[in-house]
Amino acid sequence: MTLEEALHKIEQQEQKIDELRRELRLAKLLRNFQKARFRERFFVNTFKGEKVIDVAQVRYFVSENKSTYIVLHDGNSFVVEMTLTDIMEQLDPHAFMRVNRKYIVPILEVAGFERDVNGKERLVLKQGNKSPEIIISRDNKNKVHEWIEGDAHTVA
């Protein structure tokens, strides 16, 4: 075997090693992705200390007056020391969606939609008489509908 052939063989072996390393990195990323867990509870401050809020208790999250609140089924609300963007990054996108710049809602709270006389679409939550006015922008309307219909994987 000539020196040139030996060098060529070494190059081929290095390419195979690089390919195996890429495959290992991809496999590791896939394992990490599959292990990814979404937030299941929040700690909120109260006058008496901290309270644990399970995400199943959440009616919606809202950003008002430069503060973020978590609103519960029982009507209580608490300040959350996070932005809506930070909260949404930690929630399951199949179960929660940021439907506009002010609100994140769980899919289990959605009762439907209403259109007003101006053609604006409003998201209606269960317990409708106590629902805040959640206007869905025209740009976001299709994404919200897809999410509700179960195509959350297509929503970015």
Side-chain angles (χ1 to χ4, degrees):
M1 180 182 293
T2 68
L3 179 62
E4 190 174 303
E5 291 172 336
L7 289 174
H8 181 69
K9 217 172 200 183
I10 290 172
E11 279 180 29
Q12 287 178 331
Q13 293 298 321
E14 286 175 344
Q15 287 176 351
K16 286 181 183 179
I17 290 170
D18 286 343
E19 202 172 299
L20 287 171
R21 283 186 180 140
R22 264 182 274 159
E23 287 178 20
L24 285 172
R25 277 193 303 259
L26 286 173
K28 184 178 178 182
L29 283 172
L30 182 60
R31 275 194 312 275
N32 288 341
F33 180 74
Q34 290 171 338
K35 287 182 192 175
R37 298 209 42 206
F38 298 107
R39 190 166 190 147
E40 296 175 2
R41 59 195 60 83
F42 289 85
F43 277 106
V44 295
N45 292 320
T46 67
F47 291 115
K48 296 180 180 178
E50 287 186 324
K51 179 177 177 147
V52 177
I53 307 291
D54 192 271
V55 293
Q57 297 174 276
V58 175
R59 185 146 189 255
Y60 56 88
F61 295 89
V62 62
S63 179
E64 293 179 321
N65 303 320
K66 298 186 180 185
S67 293
T68 304
Y69 300 91
I70 183 170
V71 180
L72 307 180
H73 296 283
D74 63 11
N76 288 321
S77 63
F78 301 92
V79 173
V80 180
E81 300 295 329
M82 300 170 72
T83 65
L84 287 179
T85 300
D86 292 338
I87 291 169
M88 194 61 227
E89 287 174 355
Q90 298 177 31
L91 294 171
D92 180 353
H94 293 279
F96 289 85
M97 183 177 191
R98 186 166 184 178
V99 295
N100 64 26
R101 64 184 177 82
K102 283 183 65 174
Y103 289 94
I104 295 173
V105 299
I107 196 164
L108 295 176
E109 285 299 307
V110 176
F113 295 92
E114 291 178 353
R115 281 185 202 78
D116 67 13
V117 291
N118 298 327
K120 289 184 180 177
E121 192 157 3
R122 185 171 75 89
L123 185 73
V124 178
L125 300 180
K126 295 176 181 173
Q127 301 174 350
N129 58 344
K130 298 177 186 175
S131 287
E133 183 169 87
I134 303 175
I135 302 296
I136 306 299
S137 70
R138 288 183 187 142
D139 294 340
N140 213 20
K141 179 180 152 185
N142 288 338
K143 288 181 184 176
V144 173
H145 282 266
E146 287 174 5
W147 171 67
I148 290 170
E149 290 171 356
D151 296 331
H153 60 277
T154 63
V155 178

